[in-house]
């Protein structure tokens, strides 16, 4: 017998691979978690021709990949995938099972958790191992994002969580990496009650942050997704784009493509409106090319005011509705 | 359900055999001097081509040729080597394909498929075509975890 797969499992969501980095980000975090509980990271790679993704996951830190290749797995089908992965879990009992909070992950993981009779924390913004109990602590927004809850799964396995893209950092691609490969038996159960009649790709609006003349940026100070959505209306009224700081992305208020700063994009708009951002260097590094910077923050000592041309000291919850109302009247 | 680790794969280059990936494998005994072997050696990140060495026999157990790092060596069977885009092919005197190695390039890695019909010195079939790669009947290959090196 060879080695057994590590007990921290990550579901490999390889669709749109070079844009969708959440699996790689999860592998990075899973490595830390696995180390804490003395095991390794195994990535599940399910599909028809998935060989290059298995290699990619090893390059980004997977200790092993568990591969199922079959023509009937070419489509992401929730019922088929649930039956397949549930059987693997029941047979080999991983401690932790993670997936990205993508459209598929949000559909697939609740069904899988139900099938396995275990808990699931959705859209987590942090994960860590409790040093005493060795349980996975899953931090997830609760009450509409007003507070963060820490969830544990003490009595059932695996401990399951989905994580929003952009929360964790991916490890760099290492061409010298090697990893184990497992080919468990693939039993396809024709349980699908959904038939794919035709496929149409939704055209998503292209984000043109770098080209925008007006950029509206939201940060942690906005406090909730609902507040952040007001920025989208503000940007639309000004024919601009919405950017975000890392805390806003971690909170799941918007997609990672909108991240500005050292690990995100750099912009040079004529006007930049920064709302609820403290002005941390990691963020301001990406906006220093802006023409006029307008900052809204309730803390008069926030560093953002040092680089802004115009500052409004006030709570975004109060200022934004007034600003929107005025703009609606004038535009 | 068979769950033991069957081989290791590399982030850089792998071979496809028996429908499965491995960073390297060996059939037979490369050090034997006069018996069949087939070595698909581990490819390190500095290289982008597979490293194939072999001693190949015909179905009657007659020595056809030797291959050393993708090149023909001893060649009593008058085989020919043909370079292809993405790989190479070795043909016997009659022009039939003995061995074909084709490498698929991914954005950040390589996968080499091996196909052909290989026999040992006793005329036993040791590798045969299977879809886009090959099947190894009988004794399974030895998987490599590091470069085999010289032989």
């Amino acid at each position: 017998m060879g080695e057994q797969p590590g007990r921290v499992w990550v579901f490999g969501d390889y669709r749109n691979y070079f844009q969708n980095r959440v699996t790689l980000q999860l592998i990075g975090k899973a490595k830390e978690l696995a180390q804490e509980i003395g095991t390794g990271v195994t990535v599940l790679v399910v599909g028809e021709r998935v060989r290059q993704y298995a290699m990619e996951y090893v390059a980004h830190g997977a200790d092993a990949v568990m591969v199922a290749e079959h023509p009937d797995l070419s489509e992401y089908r929730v019922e088929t995938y649930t039956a397949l992965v549930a059987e693997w879990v029941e047979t080999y009992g991983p401690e932790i099972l993670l997936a990205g909070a993508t459209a598929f992950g949000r559909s697939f993981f609740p069904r899988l958790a139900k099938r396995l009779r275990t808990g699931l924390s959705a859209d987590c913004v942090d994960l860590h191992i409790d040093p005493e109990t060795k349980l996975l602590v899953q931090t997830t927004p609760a009450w509409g994002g007003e507070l963060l809850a820490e969830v544990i799964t003490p009595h059932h396995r695996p401990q399951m969580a989905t994580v929003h893209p952009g929360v964790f950092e991916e490890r760099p691609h290492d061409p010298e990496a090697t990893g184990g490969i497992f080919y468990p038996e693939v039993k396809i159960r024709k349980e699908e009650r959904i038939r794919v009649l035709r496929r149409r790709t939704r055209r998503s609006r292209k984000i043109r942050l770098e080209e925008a003349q007006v950029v509206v940026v939201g940060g942690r100070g906005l406090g909730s997704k609902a507040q952040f959505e007001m920025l989208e209306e503000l940007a639309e009224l000004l024919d601009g784009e919405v950017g975000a700081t890392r805390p806003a992305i971690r909170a799941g208020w918007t997609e990672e493509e909108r991240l500005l700063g050292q690990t995100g994009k750099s912009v040079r708009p004529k006007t930049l409106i920064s709302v609820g951002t403290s002005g941390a260097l990691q963020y301001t590094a990406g906006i220093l090319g802006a023409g006029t910077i307008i900052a809204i923050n309730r803390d008069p000592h926030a560093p953002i005011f040092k680089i802004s041309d115009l500052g409004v000291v006030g709570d975004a919850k109060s200022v934004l509705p007034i600003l929107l109302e005025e703009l609606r009247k004038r535009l | 359900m068979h769950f033991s680790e069957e081989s290791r794969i590399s982030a850089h280059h792998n071979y496809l055999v028996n429908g499965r990936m491995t960073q390297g494998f060996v059939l037979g005994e490369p050090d034997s001097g006069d018996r069949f072997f087939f070595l698909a050696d581990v490819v390190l990140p500095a290289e982008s081509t597979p490293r194939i060495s072999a001693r190949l026999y015909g179905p009657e157990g007659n020595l056809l040729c030797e291959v050393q790092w993708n090149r023909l060596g001893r060649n009593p069977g008058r085989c020919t080597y043909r370079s292809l885009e993405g790989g190479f092919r070795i043909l016997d005197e009659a022009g039939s394909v003995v061995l074909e190695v084709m490498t698929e390039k991914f954005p950040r890695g390589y996968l080499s498929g091996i196909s052909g019909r290989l026999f040992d010195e006793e005329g036993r079939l040791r590798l045969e075509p299977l879809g886009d790669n090959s099947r190894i009947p009988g004794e399974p290959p030895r998987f490599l975890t590091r470069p085999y090196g010289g032989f």
Side-chain angles (χ1 to χ4, degrees), chain A residues 1-3 18 49 51-52 54-56 58-60 65-66 87-88 92 173-185, chain B residues 1-14 16 19-23 45 104 106-111 132-133 145:
Chain A
M1 282 289 280
E3 295 173 30
F18 287 99
R49 289 179 71 89
R51 294 151 189 168
Q52 68 163 312
M55 292 168 66
E56 280 283 320
V58 166
H60 283 275
V65 286
M66 194 176 289
E87 186 169 345
W88 292 359
Y92 290 94
H173 183 276
D174 177 6
E176 296 188 5
T178 64
I181 185 162
F182 299 83
Y183 287 98
E185 186 179 350
Chain B
M1 190 181 290
H2 182 57
F3 236 123
S4 62
E5 181 179 303
E6 290 165 6
S7 66
R8 291 189 77 74
I9 60 168
S10 154
H12 173 64
H13 176 276
N14 294 288
L16 191 63
R20 295 170 178 201
M21 288 198 297
T22 177
Q23 62 175 337
E104 184 179 359
F106 299 137
R108 289 191 294 203
Y110 301 88
L111 182 67
D132 64 349
N133 64 111
T145 56

Side-chain angles (χ1 to χ4, degrees), chain A residues 207-218:
Chain A
I207 300 169
R208 298 179 181 276
L209 262 170
E210 294 95 330
E211 301 159 28
Q213 294 299 300
V214 177
V215 173
V216 181
V217 189

Side-chain angles (χ1 to χ4, degrees), chain A residues 180-254:
Chain A
I181 185 162
F182 299 83
Y183 287 98
E185 186 179 350
V186 177
K187 290 180 189 165
I188 303 293
R189 294 189 180 149
K190 302 281 187 183
E191 294 186 12
E192 287 290 343
R193 288 166 293 178
I194 299 168
R195 280 189 303 132
V196 178
L197 300 179
R198 65 179 177 140
R199 181 185 300 277
R200 285 172 60 193
T201 304
R202 188 179 68 179
R203 285 188 191 169
S204 59
R205 194 170 74 91
K206 192 175 175 191
I207 300 169
R208 298 179 181 276
L209 262 170
E210 294 95 330
E211 301 159 28
Q213 294 299 300
V214 177
V215 173
V216 181
V217 189
R220 189 203 310 267
L222 281 163
S224 71
K225 185 166 180 149
Q227 297 295 324
F228 195 92
E229 284 168 357
M230 294 174 79
L231 294 191
E232 290 166 6
E233 187 183 352
L234 179 60
E236 197 172 329
L237 284 166
L238 298 171
D239 196 21
E241 282 285 356
V242 175
T245 61
R246 177 67 73 186
I249 285 163
R250 280 196 173 146
W253 297 340
T254 190

Side-chain angles (χ1 to χ4, degrees), chain B residues 90-109:
Chain B
I90 289 174
L91 310 167
D92 65 14
E93 194 172 16
S96 299
V97 175
V98 177
L99 172 68
E100 182 175 289
V101 180
M102 296 296 292
T103 299
E104 184 179 359
K105 187 177 186 311
F106 299 137
R108 289 191 294 203

Side-chain angles (χ1 to χ4, degrees), chain A residues 108-310:
Chain A
F108 170 42
F109 256 40
R111 284 169 185 263
L112 185 58
K114 173 73 166 55
R115 176 79 65 99
L116 296 169
R117 298 174 181 272
T118 188
L120 168 67
S121 297
D123 288 346
C124 288
V125 295
D126 195 18
L127 300 171
H128 70 272
I129 298 292
D130 183 292
E132 286 185 17
T133 63
K134 298 296 180 189
L135 290 171
L136 178 68
V137 180
Q138 306 143 49
T139 307
T140 184
W143 297 98
E146 293 294 322
L147 58 87
L148 292 174
E150 290 194 338
V151 179
I152 55 170
T153 311
H155 304 302
H156 296 85
R157 292 291 179 275
Q159 301 162 87
M160 289 179 62
T162 61
V163 178
H164 202 273
V167 169
F168 300 126
E169 301 269 335
E170 68 183 66
R171 294 160 67 100
H173 183 276
D174 177 6
E176 296 188 5
T178 64
I181 185 162
F182 299 83
Y183 287 98
E185 186 179 350
V186 177
K187 290 180 189 165
I188 303 293
R189 294 189 180 149
K190 302 281 187 183
E191 294 186 12
E192 287 290 343
R193 288 166 293 178
I194 299 168
R195 280 189 303 132
V196 178
L197 300 179
R198 65 179 177 140
R199 181 185 300 277
R200 285 172 60 193
T201 304
R202 188 179 68 179
R203 285 188 191 169
S204 59
R205 194 170 74 91
K206 192 175 175 191
I207 300 169
R208 298 179 181 276
L209 262 170
E210 294 95 330
E211 301 159 28
Q213 294 299 300
V214 177
V215 173
V216 181
V217 189
R220 189 203 310 267
L222 281 163
S224 71
K225 185 166 180 149
Q227 297 295 324
F228 195 92
E229 284 168 357
M230 294 174 79
L231 294 191
E232 290 166 6
E233 187 183 352
L234 179 60
E236 197 172 329
L237 284 166
L238 298 171
D239 196 21
E241 282 285 356
V242 175
T245 61
R246 177 67 73 186
I249 285 163
R250 280 196 173 146
W253 297 340
T254 190
E255 58 266 62
E256 197 182 13
E257 288 91 329
R258 298 192 184 277
L259 178 67
L260 299 183
Q262 282 175 339
T263 55
K265 292 175 177 167
S266 294
V267 292
R268 305 178 66 84
K270 283 185 180 170
T271 306
L272 183 137
I273 305 174
S274 195
V275 186
T277 63
S278 64
L281 182 64
Q282 296 95 316
Y283 157 56
T284 56
I287 65 166
L288 292 175
T292 301
I293 297 176
I294 302 167
I296 303 172
N297 197 304
R298 63 184 170 193
D299 177 5
H301 304 294
I304 190 70
F305 289 126
K306 290 183 181 164
I307 62 160
S308 61
D309 302 285
L310 177 65

